[in-house]
Amino acid sequence: MPTGTRYYDGRTAALHVATLRWSEAFLSIDGVEGELAVWPRARLIVGEPDPEGRVVLSCKGEPGRVSTDAFALPVQMTAPRGHRWHYLGWIAIGAVALALAFVLVVRLPAAGAALVPRSAENRLGEMVESVVVGKHRVCRGDDGQRALEQLEARLAHAAGIAQPVRVVVIDSKTVNALTLPGARMVIMRGLFQRVDNPDQLAGVMAHETGHIARRDPLTALFRSAGITLISTTLGIHLGFADVSSLAGRLVGLSYSRDMERLADANGVAYLQASGLRSDGLAAFFALTEKRSGSASGAIEFLSDHPRTLDREKRSQGSPVGESALTAQQWAAVRAMCEKS
């Protein structure tokens, strides 16, 4: 079989050894004795490569044809015409995928969050935690930390959360606790100082566990951050400012009433399933409402966990069950942020 480039003029049986010269608008076919033909590139027809990797070129309205190696063609012409429909098909699929991503992120954030792999969510949570926690001192104390982790492990087991929940305590006077993507819970010193007993703390932790179980932080971020979050979860590099923006969005987010209603109800159920008193959350709501006007420090829990008139009634649990922490464990937890 001939190799190299061959030109057939279409008028005789002669076969010409040729070279191809490409310009922006034309293909010039040169023979040993000079130029054999000039074809407009807009009228070129590129055939399918054969098993040897050779293609046939022709020009609409011209009788000749060229046989050459596929690698001799410009890059943008290496896809045969038949294959171009294949690539156009992929472009169409990509456009549909982008439209679907828009619907999932903007219109159906819970569905979009459900499609995010756990590994990607964990990576996002780690980045956001570094920004949220990085501004505060992390409170240490082996006994207190162990007590909180054991309590949360019981709640997470009742909630059916497969991975361990990471609990971080930070030295902030804010009365709050919040959840981050990737099963992470941040508790602030102000919450320890505000609650009257460990069962109220357990009620708040059970509520936050409800958000973790339903992946509410990721859903809320999808609703708020949109395409920026898609880039992060897919591993596309973002600068520190972008991660800080995501962290700021998360801290300032308010969950929907449905999210809060489910977190309340599920939190009470987790406490009961764990054999613990389940009246702590309602007691905490009543306590915070009573003290919010006079206590020092910002009370954030009710500002980003909006309270409705019937919410306290729905979160009523039972005093039946064991206390969330022993007196010794509770003392260790409250001492975690004391500076040595």
Side-chain angles (χ1 to χ4, degrees):
M1 185 173 185
T3 59
T5 300
R6 299 290 186 269
Y7 171 67
Y8 305 85
D9 62 19
R11 297 183 179 88
T12 68
L15 181 151
H16 303 273
V17 176
T19 57
L20 305 180
R21 288 188 295 113
W22 299 90
S23 67
E24 184 175 349
F26 295 96
L27 165 62
S28 297
I29 306 168
D30 297 332
V32 176
E33 298 181 356
E35 190 174 78
L36 299 173
V38 177
W39 292 346
R41 290 185 61 164
R43 289 160 48 194
L44 288 181
I45 300 172
V46 183
E48 296 277 353
D50 66 17
E52 301 295 328
R54 294 183 64 79
V55 296
V56 173
L57 306 179
S58 59
C59 180
K60 186 176 181 179
E62 299 291 339
R65 59 190 175 92
V66 171
S67 174
T68 189
D69 295 310
F71 64 77
L73 303 183
V75 174
Q76 64 268 32
M77 297 188 64
T78 55
R81 181 171 297 272
H83 286 189
R84 290 173 191 167
W85 291 107
H86 174 77
Y87 296 137
L88 288 175
W90 278 110
I91 292 173
I93 291 173
V96 172
L98 285 175
L100 179 60
F102 174 82
V103 171
L104 290 177
V105 171
V106 179
R107 300 299 182 187
L108 299 172
L115 296 178
V116 176
R118 292 286 181 178
S119 58
E121 182 184 359
N122 291 338
R123 184 169 64 248
L124 175 63
E126 183 178 356
M127 290 190 296
V128 174
E129 181 189 316
S130 67
V131 177
V132 173
V133 176
K135 300 177 181 179
H136 302 278
R137 181 175 69 92
V138 176
C139 299
R140 308 294 181 183
D142 292 343
D143 292 340
Q145 183 70 32
R146 187 180 305 110
L148 290 176
E149 290 176 352
Q150 290 174 351
L151 171 57
E152 180 54 35
R154 295 177 68 174
L155 297 172
H157 177 74
I161 299 173
Q163 69 183 95
V165 175
R166 174 176 168 80
V167 179
V168 179
V169 178
I170 61 175
D171 190 6
S172 170
K173 65 181 181 180
T174 302
V175 182
N176 203 3
L178 57 91
T179 51
L180 307 179
R184 295 166 185 267
M185 183 184 302
V186 178
I187 303 175
M188 302 175 188
R189 168 177 55 84
L191 182 60
F192 297 156
Q193 297 175 336
R194 178 53 49 88
V195 298
D196 287 335
N197 55 61
D199 298 314
Q200 293 177 7
L201 173 63
V204 174
M205 292 178 64
H207 171 93
E208 298 299 332
T209 302
H211 287 310
I212 292 174
R214 292 179 55 83
R215 304 177 82 178
D216 286 346
L218 191 61
T219 299
L221 273 177
F222 259 87
R223 186 180 65 236
S224 175
I227 299 301
T228 302
L229 182 61
I230 289 181
S231 300
T232 305
T233 54
L234 292 181
I236 300 173
H237 175 72
L238 292 178
F240 182 81
D242 297 304
V243 178
S244 298
S245 176
L246 284 176
R249 286 177 184 268
L250 183 60
V251 173
L253 284 178
S254 293
Y255 292 126
S256 69
R257 289 190 176 186
D258 285 342
M259 286 180 174
E260 293 295 355
R261 186 180 299 113
L262 285 170
D264 289 343
N266 289 338
V268 171
Y270 301 154
L271 290 165
Q272 293 173 342
S274 302
L276 302 173
R277 291 185 57 157
S278 56
D279 58 347
L281 182 59
F284 172 74
F285 285 144
L287 176 70
T288 304
E289 186 75 8
K290 178 180 178 181
R291 295 184 179 178
S292 60
S294 59
S296 61
I299 297 179
E300 297 289 344
F301 189 85
L302 292 183
S303 65
D304 55 16
H305 298 72
R307 183 172 183 264
T308 60
L309 293 177
D310 62 340
R311 187 174 173 194
E312 189 174 320
K313 295 180 180 179
R314 286 199 312 271
S315 61
Q316 292 289 343
S318 169
V320 176
E322 64 180 287
S323 179
L325 299 173
T326 66
Q328 184 177 4
Q329 289 175 322
W330 180 227
V333 167
R334 289 175 64 88
M336 286 181 66
C337 291
E338 293 180 359
K339 297 180 180 179
S340 56

